[in-house]
Amino acid sequence: MVIDLDRCTGCEACVVACHSENNIGMSTPEEAARGRVNHWIRIDRYYEGQFPDIKVKYRPVLCQHCDEAPCEPVCPVNATYHNPEGLNVQVYNRCVGTFYCANNCPYTVRSFNWFDPKWPEPMQLQHNPDVSIRPGGVMEKCTFCIQRIKRVEDQADAAGRPVADGEVQPACVQSCPAEAMIFGDLNDPDSKVSRLAGDGRATKLMEELGTKPKVVYLEKAR
Amino acid sequence: MSMERRNFFKILSTASAGVVATGCGTDSDKLIPLLVPEQDLIPGVEYWHPSVCTSCPSGCGVVARVMDGERIIERTTAGKTEKLRQRLAAIKKLEGNPLDHVSGGRLCARGQAGVQSLYNPDRIRGPLKRSGVRGEATFQPISWKDAISEASDQLLKVKNEAADRIAIVTGPVASSRSNALRGFAKAIGAPEPLVCSVASHAAERKAAEIALNWQGIPFYDIANARHILSVGADFLGGWVSPVNYARQFGAFRQARMEVRGYLAHAESRLSITASAADQWLPLKPGSEAQFLGAVGRILLDLNLAPKAASLPPNVLAAFKALDLAAFIAATGIEERKLRLAVEQLGKSEGPLVLAGASTVHTNSVDAIVASHYVNMMLGNVGNPGGIQAPAKSPIEPLTNTKFAAALSQARAIVLDEANPLYTAPKAAHVREALTKAGFVLSFATTLDDSAAWADIILPAHHALEGEIAVAPAAAARVSLAIGGTFVQPLYETQPISNTLAELAGGMNVTFQPATVKEIAEPLLPKDLTWETVVREGGFHTDATPAAAPLTKSKPAPKAAAPTNAFALNAAKFEGDGPFLLQPYLSPQLHEGASSNLPWLQECPDPASSAVWSLPVEIDPVTAQKLGIATGDNVKLESASGSITAPAYIHPGAVPGVLSMAIGGGHTHFGRFASGRGANPLEILALATEPATGDLATGATRVRLTRVGPGKDLIQYSSEDKEERPHAHR
């Protein structure tokens, strides 16, 4: 994934899109006050400088799907692992909630279900049947909307054609009004994400830790 | 037949979000506007249907992903109540309609949360009649027949005594619904419906009429501009058409080879537009007119106004005669910075000035008029990358915002998609009007602050449950977004068109609102059929409408020339406190009609990262002086009353200005919003913008005191500075 910070407005459409797609449990004010709000994607915002010459940095942060993911080797039950497509995935029914993965994630993008999520009737009508509901005691995180990837792959398979560049859109990418988020195949040198990843503005978050993140940020042009 | 239909759906259901968004030629064929009967629902198979978002006046076309769902219903037979599982078509997700030219397949946070308002557990289940004292919100169910009969009797009584004392109050969305209300008012002899909203954009409309003789809100071609100076308009946040302008902003920045658009933004708050800008010029509140006056004058002085000769002589003379030093001083911007910003604008190959009134001041029309004249002297009016004339709206928007005077005289009050008790200040005396009126009728889908005062509630379908057409607030082409009926209503509600027709019938008046088809069909170009429009979720066209729309609208005034009125008055402020209160429309909660949606309540506020709470933004110097820390409770006091809210010490707050998002402080709005937070609109003075009568939301002085430590501020992230600063070139 490539995120162009020169386009990003910090509007948080992606945050709500992610909730809508992935059946993320709702918080209550009481639980939120204890730091128990679950977001798979967040907008970090930082202030730089002093008024009146103050600048704001918005940065959407989600699971970076690291090639050397620090969360993976510490899981005692292999609930989080690298799938053959290079996604860092979470097997919910293996997770026993040790929290080791979240403690080891430098990007703090993992969310824990402290309780069974509740949706007052009839809010469950909105649930996406393609995404399982996670019970209490289970860790969860961004999957790059693996269900949307699979759907497009299946359609392409059925039609006997390869998946087209840009055809797969995780919910956050699909929603982004400024088209700041782009998703594609980094292994395909001709894909849009590969071209953008070679841009002079490209950086990766905390790359110095050796995590080899697969989310590329295009820094704001100055 | 049913087999054929099932196969038809099966073929269509191969549409997916990804495929739709990529925009291939047959996409429109995959959007089906038909109601899916339960027997035709195939578990796990998705259908995409077009509809429209009504959470603000932008009119974004959406597509809804429909699949089978289950809910629990109660059925009573022979005195025994049992719980049953009901299978029905349910909306799983809303995305932008890729064929809609406003949303272009994208959607904001509020738009996507629309599905949560459809399935909100606090929706009204059927007609209600007040059972206790008015305002106590105690109701009992009543049949539709009795409710219509009682409501029409009450309205008829007032109509016969004084029809002009019927006040119909609604919101700013120009839709088939507002059109039906207008028709109903006319049919029963009541005055035109009033708009009670802090997002009516009355100043923008008036200014376009004065300076350019345009009817409607101008459209800004941001994507093709090279250098934008935006003034007072949080166009990426809560102003006019945030999805469309954010789409354009992305293209403005990074879609052109070797051209990156530059945005300078002047506003009295560090909004998300100011945050995204390359340069923020923190204005003193209400100095937008003086700022734009100075911009025009400096452009003239620097000979950077190539089309200055096209200005009306009185306007040109006024720019040349203004006291530049005083104007610059009034803005609070350092002169060097201001001059540099203007010089950069003037020297650009594609300059554009975009002005609006995210916060309305008593001189907002003056400011926006000045911006039009600046665009005129820059030569971008009507050109690519410039300010474009609004297309004629297929549905004439309601524009009368003088609701306070009408309500004070009202004997019957009819509320639809408006919550005046919340969006109007206490000083507007809406509570007194609701107490005094002989009859209060509401069409609310959820019990809100104002509906709680109704005598009878006739709940309308949710916008996603019935057919609807919305004319976008800002469009350069004639356009209409349309939604059909594709999920069954959850409760005993009915389309507002039916309710209005039945009410009129009960008053012995014949009235049948225009259907969506009747509104749209006369406007379609020859090559477009109604079936195509329904399948695609609307239309947009440059073609001249074939016939006049059935909106009962008056023709646009045939003024030979704009009025050219030009004054740059100073803003006026009410009260005697040392601080200015600046309520603002946040991207999440806008004017508070989305506060009952948990997704939006737990979406962190872009400025403070607050969830489930909205703080007052206080600048660090003031906070230090008053001993206030982030999280403390503070009291804001005006001549109209006081509110208590948590403080957030905002490093980018303009000193002396207390900003607060609208959205908290609902007395009634379901379990997720009632009694949560405070409403900054409540304590505003009843100051108005004189040319429009619109509430001046930024004209109130307040006092600020620390109450004590508080627990109400919940921050998702409390970090304001990066611990490990990351490269930001």
Side-chain angles (χ1 to χ4, degrees), chain A residues 6 12 27 55 57 200 220, chain B residues 260 278 602 604 722 729:
Chain A
D6 211 23
E12 308 206 58
S27 68
K55 292 270 181 198
K57 282 164 73 168
K220 206 165 176 174
Chain B
R260 175 190 178 272
D278 298 286
E602 63 183 357
E722 241 173 333
R729 294 169 201 173

Side-chain angles (χ1 to χ4, degrees), chain B residues 120-200:
Chain B
N120 197 287
D122 299 313
R123 275 188 61 188
I124 297 170
R125 266 53 174 174
L128 295 174
K129 183 185 177 185
R130 176 168 61 82
S131 58
V133 176
R134 191 186 285 171
E136 281 184 354
T138 45
F139 296 96
Q140 63 187 35
I142 181 175
S143 71
W144 268 102
K145 193 179 165 203
D146 291 348
I148 293 280
S149 162
E150 202 164 312
S152 48
D153 284 352
Q154 294 281 356
L155 288 175
L156 183 61
K157 208 170 93 185
V158 180
K159 174 184 180 303
N160 290 340
E161 288 167 6
D164 60 339
R165 298 282 186 92
I166 299 175
I168 302 173
V169 188
T170 187
V173 181
S175 65
S176 47
R177 188 162 171 164
S178 68
N179 195 52
L181 269 187
R182 170 188 271 130
F184 175 71
K186 196 175 175 190
I188 65 166
E192 181 159 285
L194 303 140
V195 176
C196 179
S197 165
V198 282
S200 64

